[in-house]
Amino acid sequence: MASPTSPVPLPALFHRRCGPEMSGQKVLTLLLLLAGSVPPGGSSSARSCGSAGEELCNFICDCGSCSDENQCGYLRGSAVLGTSFTCDFEDGACGWRDVSTSEYKWVRSHANLATWGTGPHSDHSLGTDLGWFMLTVSPPSKTTATAWLRSPTMQEAAATCEISAWYHISGSVLNQTEWPVLRLAMAHGDEVVELWQSPGHRGEGWHQLVAYPGRVTREFQLIFSLTQPPMSGAELALDDIVFRNCGLQERGQQVCGAEESLCSRGSCLAQHRFCDGTDDCGDGSDEDPTQCTSFELCSFEQNLCSWEAEAGQPAWERNTSLNLGTAHGIPSRDHSSNSRAGFFLHVGSTGGTARLSSGTLQATNSCSLVLYCHLHGSATGSLSISYVTNSTKHLVRERTGDLGSLWVRERVDFSVMGSFKVLIEGVAGSGGTVAIDDLILSPGCVQEPEQPSTALPSLGGAGPCAAGELACDSGECIAAELGCDFAATCADGSDETRCGATTFEAGPGGWHDVSVGRLRWGLQSDTEPRSTGTVLAGAFLAVQAGEGQMVAAAKARTPLLGPSGPACAMEMSYHIHSSPQGFLAVSIMDHTTGTSHVAWYTEGQGSTAEGHIQVLLGERSRPFQVELLALVDLQDTASAAVDNVTFVQCHPDMVPPAARELSCNFEKGMCGWYQDQSSDFKWVRGTGQGQGSDHTTGSGYFLAADPSALWSRGQRARLITYVQEPAATERCLSFWYRLAGAQIGTLNLKLRLEGAEETVLWTQRGTQGSVWHRGWATLPATGQRQYWMAFEALRDGFLGDMALDDVALTAGPCGAELSCSFEADACGLVGSGQQRWLRQSNSTGTTVGPPADHTTGTAAGHYLVVSTGRDSLPTGHVAALTSQPYQPSAPAQCLAFWYQLSASTPGSLGVFVEQSGVRRRVLAVSSAEGDAWHRGHATVEADGDWQVKFEAVGAGGDHGYIALDDLHVSDGACPEPASCDFERDMCGWSSAADPRLHSFAWGWKSGVPLTKYPGPEQDHTVGTRNGHYVHFDTSVLGLGGTTALLESQYLPAAAESCLRFWYHMDIPEHLSCGELRVVLQSAAGQRTLWSAAGHRGRGWQSGAVPVQSPGAFQIIFEVTTRRWPMEGTVALDDIAYSAGASCHSSPELPGQERSPGSSVAEAVVGVLLAIIILALAAAGGWCWVKRRGLPSAPPAEGSSPQGFDNITFRDDKVIIEPMPKEGDDN
């Protein structure tokens, strides 16, 4: 007998059953083997109190600390989710164990940015890459493979028990026809029962599963299994397993209400739930056979009892789960015994109505019928309960839609003046089944002794419409997909009259209740006068008492709707009177992606709340459904209702007036931009929330996408447009954007032409600082084709935010782009000569080039490259690349770019600036520079439009290349290499883009306080809040990364140079476990030149570091910690690198501080007095720093450090004088 914490031995037969022929039935057999025999002692984990074995893992806190409910497949609670009896995997596996027998296994894991795209981008609990989940891992197998995950032993479960979890499927399987199958099964006694099975193809993202084990009277275990087809490479993540309402009612004598009775345990139960076929009390006393003898129960275990199934097709058929198999939609067990071997009736074929009738019953006013129905797998399946008198059918109750994989209790009362029959009709929708079990007639249902003839009404002949067609009320037939598509197709408009838009005066208007619990939605009339101003009048849809056994929200759905356009919205009036525990919500179920998300939500306030709302549905393909959810306590006079439902601007061809307004400052709305509803990651219109102000006015609105928001779970957030009319000429779309944070993703602008795939017009990745930047893209002429546009925010990280403002569409092309990463296109650069420059990435390119680009630091990033090998570019031949004209916007401009030359025989690169037909060379590189990216820059002083031309000259090598990336033009003269005051940009200083380095990015901001990005309230350069600096918030250091790197460009070998900088720390001393370092990195490795431990309250401090290296090198500022959590900020400003000058030769001293409260006003003192004050302050500051202790630095090293290579390097910086008026040679 296996213990719950030990692996279960399996026979050799198991391995043979894992082959391609393995069926769902065999999977259940293997689940039984995996479960083993459940020992009587329960879990063997140590407990802190002396609970009896039957009180361990029984979903009841028997110990004061609830320690008896830990490591049970759940913990006693989740601090992240705020739910009890939950496993979010943040603190371990909660007792779940992998019991797989092959390399396909379950492991506890979290999202890995280094392997982005191979699994979920985040867990479900936290919504970031730091959260944990269970993950299946395996090399692709040539045969069908299954991974098994088993829970500890749990005790009995109540009939109300609900198990929910979230799962995420990824991998190459998303492009395959065969789909992996996730199953949840329960092992109890000597049987394994499947509780839930994943449906067919589903889109990306997290999906919820909900399973109901039913009443379990003995110990049991749960088993998750994922079966993947051969060579699928599927990965499945499992997270947030929650057990709700699974514990039995506690023992103890209660005082019962007028319509309640006592159970033997002492708890109270509604009288109509006695003798209903379900052990609601938990001790069986409500189903005591001695008390229920007068009830007529038919469990179909032997026959149909007194019920009669009408012959024909389809018909009610008596069967078991064992015989029917494990296809999606099939009941996995009966209700009577919760067993696969138990019998029930089902309708498994489509195309008609199956009918089941009772014997003739006497007239009565006290007859009731309880039955359990199973409607699963189809949104159109239905079950109706009627009574028939004089061959006339009277409908009493109807259930439509997919209720889930469970048996749902239904109860109807009959008050009939004459003899009658009960008629139960089932219609199976496509892909689903309808089943019933445990039909129970109350003692008031008395059979007529002489069985007078009560004929059933005729079903009539076949309908006028063929399969796949919908009948209009006028008699004509239309294609079924034209029903509820927001446009009337029938001549009388009847195809749109029962689609959810209604005042409820003439009926439910297409809404159907799909509740499975003790609340339901039903029509209700306002028969009593109501207070002035109420939104409810006449008939409306309200929450009522339901007959189901679950403790769940009331749910009602529309029929299948769609397709819809981007502006589609549902308007409705609502009313709720409830405690704060109650709520009313609108959810959208998208059957294409298999997702469901809440679009609107309001909580009870303890008083009445009502109003009229608009809920954005957005652009969706068909089919989708709108769902109403409500949870209120009806016994506490609570209520919830909706009325006056309409759908506005929903048909895709119905274009709203604002749809063409692409120019938008978002002050009064979103103009012609709309949310793409395919992801839970959304753009939010707001005024900042601590992220910064808008660009338009500094206090207005802008759009923000925050991947760190707790409610954000999707991979992308998209703004989309309606279809735009064809454009005959080019236009320029400009916009202002912000990408801020230590770990932020990608912002794309995309265009899709009619009949073509989506293309990227503009892209930017990684932090650009907490400042606004301008971006633009030229929209091409589209000829006769319409087009769509989209802004797309991708979650490549979780620490930061993106923002968008002031979008403007103007006539004509944009001109030369001032900043180009070549990720979207070549930015207008035009090649000429014998060999063309190519835009490519290393992962997809055809020409030899750098292994990674400079922008992203990955093989997927793009750059421009030209092959300089003798076969491509013979010796002396030129491949040229010319930019579009740049317009001078300042007396001096800085042209900067990054280049890389192959290690052997790359040829030479010449860079020229051309104005009015006259050009001047500003850079020439011909020697080998290694395989690193180097920065070139030049100051341009031009009095008219100018262009830059890059010329690659062949040198006759074998496989040489020259590459370019990240071209940037900014106002002002270029600073010295590795020197920066950070007022205009970051001057080539950057953070490592490769996520495999597990490092975070430095930010760039002004001194304006931002809640989300703290830092000094003034910079060092100008001493005001308007000055800029780079900064890093150390609180993000932890499991997601332990360092933050700020890297310079490559610098030439230095015999004696000096690095000066100003730094600011605000780290509490008691949390000072981190430090700021200056590191020198070359081909020989790294060495630390300087470091300072974390501190606070000292203002801006200066640092000076001697730099020596015989080879090319980089300078790196690094913030690191040895433990976390850590709090505080580090900032840098006024970095100055002096090549060829020692720190001691400088006349400046490193000692003056700038206190946090200093002001620019102090600088208006006379020149002579200012010099005296600065000298005194410098001397005093130097003494103070000496007393406090200087930051540590290693001893000065010799002029020839060991191990450094001798890489040649040339200074790229050239000042260009104004262009002469007449021609000039080079």
Side-chain angles (χ1 to χ4, degrees):
M1 182 175 291
S3 72
T5 57
S6 63
V8 178
L10 298 176
L13 177 63
F14 175 85
H15 302 284
R16 296 197 297 270
R17 291 185 173 181
C18 289
E21 76 286 352
M22 183 176 181
S23 66
Q25 198 65 45
K26 293 180 179 179
V27 168
L28 288 178
T29 303
L30 292 177
L31 287 171
L32 180 56
L33 292 173
L34 284 168
S37 300
V38 180
S43 176
S44 59
S45 301
R47 308 292 175 173
S48 61
C49 68
S51 296
E54 63 271 12
E55 294 178 343
L56 303 179
C57 301
N58 66 349
F59 310 102
I60 299 173
C61 292
D62 298 293
C63 298
S65 62
C66 206
S67 58
D68 55 314
E69 299 301 311
N70 271 332
Q71 303 301 320
C72 298
Y74 55 86
L75 304 182
R76 59 178 176 263
S78 166
V80 176
L81 303 176
T83 53
S84 302
F85 305 134
T86 299
C87 184
D88 57 21
F89 299 105
E90 300 305 316
D91 298 316
C94 310
W96 290 91
R97 289 175 55 88
D98 174 71
V99 289
S100 307
T101 60
S102 66
E103 294 184 4
Y104 199 24
K105 298 181 181 299
W106 291 86
V107 298
R108 180 171 170 265
S109 183
H110 58 82
N112 187 352
L113 298 184
T115 56
W116 208 246
T118 60
H121 295 75
S122 67
D123 79 325
H124 186 266
S125 314
L126 298 174
T128 75
D129 60 321
L130 302 183
W132 293 82
F133 44 75
M134 295 299 294
L135 181 71
T136 59
V137 292
S138 156
S141 172
K142 294 182 179 180
T143 60
T144 299
T146 302
W148 315 87
L149 184 67
R150 187 184 65 191
S151 77
T153 301
M154 305 176 190
Q155 307 301 319
E156 55 183 325
T160 55
C161 185
E162 175 188 291
I163 305 169
S164 64
W166 290 83
Y167 68 97
H168 182 289
I169 297 180
S170 57
S172 58
V173 66
L174 296 178
N175 301 317
Q176 295 184 355
T177 55
E178 277 193 280
W179 198 252
V181 179
L182 175 66
R183 293 181 173 90
L184 172 60
M186 174 180 64
H188 63 112
D190 57 354
E191 187 174 17
V192 170
V193 174
E194 184 178 289
L195 302 180
W196 180 90
Q197 176 182 319
S198 59
H201 291 223
R202 288 206 153 187
E204 64 180 21
W206 287 94
H207 304 278
Q208 188 179 32
L209 68 86
V210 181
Y212 302 90
R215 175 73 175 102
V216 185
T217 59
R218 64 186 81 181
E219 295 172 330
F220 66 96
Q221 290 177 288
L222 298 175
I223 301 173
F224 283 100
S225 65
L226 180 71
T227 302
Q228 67 167 345
M231 304 304 296
S232 74
E235 284 189 345
L236 184 135
L238 184 68
D239 203 3
D240 293 342
I241 305 174
V242 182
F243 296 82
R244 294 183 175 91
N245 307 305
C246 292
L248 301 178
Q249 294 192 39
E250 296 186 24
R251 297 181 182 273
Q253 202 70 18
Q254 299 180 4
V255 178
C256 299
E259 298 182 356
E260 295 179 327
S261 296
L262 272 175
C263 301
S264 297
R265 296 170 61 92
S267 56
C268 296
L269 183 67
Q271 292 173 356
H272 66 82
R273 293 189 180 272
F274 281 75
C275 302
D276 68 348
T278 296
D279 177 14
D280 297 292
C281 286
D283 55 13
S285 58
D286 57 317
E287 303 300 315
D288 186 350
T290 61
Q291 302 295 323
C292 301
T293 53
S294 57
F295 289 80
E296 183 182 324
L297 165 66
C298 186
S299 64
F300 304 113
E301 295 304 317
Q302 304 298 327
N303 48 44
L304 301 187
C305 310
S306 61
W307 296 85
E308 181 179 353
E310 188 174 84
Q313 287 296 326
W316 288 101
E317 299 175 359
R318 178 173 165 269
N319 217 322
T320 69
S321 301
L322 279 174
N323 292 332
L324 291 174
T326 59
H328 181 69
I330 298 291
S332 60
R333 75 274 198 199
D334 77 331
H335 177 266
S336 310
S337 58
N338 213 5
S339 169
R340 296 158 56 211
F343 284 86
F344 50 81
L345 298 187
H346 83 105
V347 183
S349 58
T350 60
T353 302
R355 305 206 296 182
L356 180 75
S357 61
S358 70
T360 303
L361 304 176
Q362 296 178 0
T364 180
N365 59 2
S366 62
C367 174
S368 64
L369 168 69
V370 171
L371 60 78
Y372 292 84
C373 60
H374 190 287
L375 283 77
H376 186 39
S378 171
T380 58
S382 66
L383 176 77
S384 62
I385 304 173
S386 310
Y387 67 88
V388 178
T389 58
N390 299 323
S391 298
T392 302
K393 182 173 69 172
H394 305 271
L395 181 65
V396 180
R397 184 68 49 81
E398 184 174 27
R399 303 303 303 265
T400 302
D402 192 334
L403 305 186
S405 181
L406 78 160
W407 290 100
V408 178
R409 182 184 186 271
E410 192 59 74
R411 179 178 178 269
V412 294
D413 296 320
F414 300 101
S415 181
V416 187
M417 300 303 295
S419 299
F420 69 99
K421 283 187 175 183
V422 177
L423 176 63
I424 302 174
E425 296 176 298
V427 177
S430 176
T433 58
V434 176
I436 56 176
D437 199 5
D438 289 342
L439 276 60
I440 306 172
L441 291 170
S442 70
C445 304
V446 181
Q447 297 278 352
E448 285 280 7
E450 298 182 1
Q451 293 290 313
S453 175
T454 303
L456 298 180
S458 173
L459 279 175
C465 300
E469 290 186 328
L470 177 70
C472 303
D473 291 351
S474 60
E476 60 183 312
C477 299
I478 64 173
E481 61 268 18
L482 297 178
C484 297
D485 66 346
F486 305 111
T489 305
C490 295
D492 57 2
S494 58
D495 56 313
E496 301 297 318
T497 58
R498 290 175 289 274
C499 300
T502 178
T503 62
F504 298 105
E505 300 302 324
W511 290 92
H512 54 273
D513 178 70
V514 290
S515 308
V516 298
R518 300 177 184 182
L519 297 174
R520 65 184 303 272
W521 287 94
L523 286 179
Q524 190 169 314
S525 297
D526 189 8
T527 58
E528 299 180 3
R530 303 178 65 88
S531 60
T532 304
T534 181
V535 299
L536 304 178
F540 49 87
L541 198 64
V543 175
Q544 303 171 349
E547 298 294 340
Q549 69 271 37
M550 299 301 162
V551 182
K555 296 181 181 180
R557 293 179 189 149
T558 65
L560 298 176
L561 306 175
S564 61
C568 178
M570 183 183 78
E571 296 181 349
M572 71 175 189
S573 302
Y574 76 93
H575 161 95
I576 182 171
H577 177 83
S578 172
S579 67
Q581 287 72 38
F583 68 85
L584 177 64
V586 175
S587 178
I588 304 171
M589 302 179 60
D590 193 321
H591 293 268
T592 302
T593 61
T595 59
S596 176
H597 80 272
V598 175
W600 177 82
Y601 178 92
T602 184
E603 294 180 340
Q605 303 295 326
S607 59
T608 299
E610 54 186 20
H612 193 77
I613 59 163
Q614 184 180 80
V615 181
L616 181 66
L617 306 181
E619 183 177 41
R620 297 180 184 276
S621 59
R622 182 183 181 92
F624 70 92
Q625 292 176 283
V626 180
E627 183 177 68
L628 294 173
L629 301 97
L631 183 64
V632 294
D633 186 358
L634 297 179
Q635 295 182 349
D636 193 29
T637 67
S639 59
V642 299
D643 201 358
N644 303 318
V645 181
T646 58
F647 294 96
V648 295
Q649 300 183 133
C650 281
H651 193 273
D653 295 338
M654 185 183 297
V655 180
R660 304 286 188 251
E661 297 178 13
L662 299 189
S663 295
C664 192
N665 62 12
F666 305 109
E667 295 302 315
K668 296 182 179 180
M670 295 177 62
C671 309
W673 299 92
Y674 300 89
Q675 294 276 8
D676 185 347
Q677 300 296 324
S678 63
S679 172
D680 288 338
F681 180 23
K682 304 295 183 186
W683 288 90
V684 177
R685 178 176 170 268
T687 56
Q689 296 82 41
Q691 303 165 351
S693 59
D694 82 322
H695 178 264
T696 311
T697 66
S699 59
Y701 286 85
F702 61 92
L703 299 185
D706 187 351
S708 63
L710 292 177
W711 46 263
S712 177
R713 292 294 183 275
Q715 180 186 357
R716 59 178 55 87
R718 285 167 57 95
L719 288 174
I720 58 176
T721 67
Y722 267 89
V723 60
Q724 303 293 305
E725 293 300 321
T729 60
E730 293 181 325
R731 288 139 309 135
C732 178
L733 185 75
S734 65
F735 51 92
W736 290 84
Y737 69 94
R738 191 168 61 208
L739 276 78
Q743 190 192 65
I744 192 58
T746 302
L747 178 63
N748 293 324
L749 173 63
K750 293 186 171 183
L751 173 76
R752 180 167 70 88
L753 292 175
E754 185 179 13
E757 295 293 326
E758 212 171 44
T759 59
V760 177
L761 295 181
W762 177 95
T763 186
Q764 189 66 262
R765 180 185 181 190
T767 184
Q768 306 296 310
S770 303
V771 296
W772 288 102
H773 301 271
R774 192 181 187 193
W776 56 74
T778 298
L779 308 187
T782 64
Q784 300 299 314
R785 291 192 292 180
Q786 297 177 318
Y787 66 96
W788 295 259
M789 297 193 66
F791 280 103
E792 178 182 65
L794 295 179
R795 290 182 71 165
D796 298 344
F798 303 93
L799 297 171
D801 65 273
M802 306 183 196
L804 191 64
D805 203 1
D806 293 337
V807 180
L809 182 64
T810 57
C814 296
E817 294 190 33
L818 298 182
S819 183
C820 183
S821 64
F822 305 114
E823 294 302 315
D825 54 27
C827 302
L829 273 74
V830 179
S832 61
Q834 178 176 338
Q835 176 67 10
R836 295 286 183 176
W837 289 77
L838 299 176
R839 173 183 166 270
Q840 70 172 38
S841 67
N842 185 63
S843 60
T844 60
T846 58
T847 298
V848 176
D853 77 327
H854 178 263
T855 312
T856 69
T858 68
H862 291 78
Y863 48 79
L864 295 184
V865 65
V866 61
S867 175
T868 58
R870 67 172 65 92
D871 295 335
S872 303
L873 194 65
T875 302
H877 286 239
V878 176
L881 190 67
T882 306
S883 74
Q884 298 296 311
Y886 291 103
Q887 296 179 347
S889 54
Q893 292 178 285
C894 180
L895 167 67
F897 53 91
W898 293 80
Y899 65 91
Q900 184 176 141
L901 279 65
S902 59
S904 60
T905 324
S908 62
L909 173 66
V911 183
F912 302 85
V913 170
E914 184 175 297
Q915 181 187 0
S916 302
V918 178
R919 73 175 191 170
R920 177 169 296 175
R921 184 166 58 195
V922 299
L923 176 68
V925 182
S926 58
S927 58
E929 297 279 346
D931 59 356
W933 287 99
H934 298 269
R935 188 173 189 258
H937 56 252
T939 297
V940 180
E941 297 176 348
D943 54 9
D945 290 358
W946 58 276
Q947 292 174 284
V948 60
K949 176 175 282 190
F950 299 92
E951 291 186 353
V953 181
D958 292 331
H959 304 290
Y961 66 82
I962 297 175
L964 294 172
D965 203 0
D966 290 335
L967 177 65
H968 182 67
V969 176
S970 59
D971 291 342
C974 298
E976 295 293 330
S979 298
C980 196
D981 61 11
F982 301 105
E983 292 307 312
R984 293 197 313 265
D985 55 29
M986 294 180 65
C987 315
W989 287 90
S990 61
S991 295
D994 192 342
R996 290 173 295 184
L997 297 178
H998 300 286
S999 63
F1000 291 111
W1002 288 66
W1004 176 45
K1005 68 182 290 288
S1006 69
V1008 176
L1010 299 177
T1011 303
K1012 189 167 183 177
Y1013 305 110
E1017 294 190 7
Q1018 60 188 34
D1019 79 327
H1020 179 265
T1021 310
V1022 300
T1024 73
R1025 64 191 298 167
N1026 295 321
H1028 292 77
Y1029 52 83
V1030 290
H1031 68 103
F1032 183 73
D1033 181 2
T1034 63
S1035 64
V1036 305
L1037 295 177
L1039 294 176
T1042 57
T1043 62
L1045 305 178
L1046 185 67
E1047 301 174 342
S1048 75
Q1049 65 191 73
Y1050 269 89
L1051 298 169
E1056 188 174 25
S1057 299
C1058 185
L1059 176 73
R1060 293 184 176 87
F1061 56 92
W1062 289 83
Y1063 66 98
H1064 186 289
M1065 288 191 178
D1066 187 16
I1067 301 175
E1069 277 76 2
H1070 67 282
L1071 293 174
S1072 183
C1073 55
E1075 61 182 359
L1076 173 65
R1077 299 173 182 168
V1078 177
V1079 177
L1080 188 146
Q1081 176 175 278
S1082 74
Q1086 290 187 349
R1087 56 192 173 103
T1088 300
L1089 303 180
W1090 177 95
S1091 66
H1095 59 260
R1096 73 184 314 175
R1098 304 184 191 178
W1100 284 100
Q1101 303 278 311
S1102 66
V1105 182
V1107 178
Q1108 297 176 350
S1109 175
F1113 64 95
Q1114 284 178 290
I1115 297 171
I1116 300 175
F1117 286 94
E1118 178 183 23
V1119 175
T1120 186
T1121 181
R1122 296 178 298 277
R1123 60 182 176 87
W1124 51 85
M1126 183 177 172
E1127 296 179 7
T1129 59
V1130 178
L1132 291 172
D1133 202 0
D1134 293 333
I1135 300 174
Y1137 174 71
S1138 302
S1142 69
C1143 293
H1144 299 293
S1145 65
S1146 173
E1148 298 182 13
L1149 294 176
Q1152 186 201 346
E1153 296 177 30
R1154 184 185 299 275
S1155 67
S1158 63
S1159 171
V1160 173
E1162 298 171 355
V1164 300
V1165 184
V1167 175
L1168 182 60
L1169 182 59
I1171 294 174
I1172 296 173
I1173 292 174
L1174 288 173
L1176 292 174
W1182 176 245
C1183 295
W1184 183 86
V1185 169
K1186 290 179 68 177
R1187 289 197 301 269
R1188 294 292 299 264
L1190 287 170
S1192 63
E1197 302 185 30
S1199 60
S1200 300
Q1202 297 298 314
F1204 280 73
D1205 57 4
N1206 187 23
I1207 301 175
T1208 59
F1209 192 93
R1210 66 181 67 245
D1211 188 357
D1212 307 326
K1213 182 174 184 295
V1214 179
I1215 300 293
I1216 304 175
E1217 300 297 333
M1219 294 291 180
K1221 297 300 182 181
E1222 298 181 3
D1224 187 10
D1225 57 13
N1226 293 340

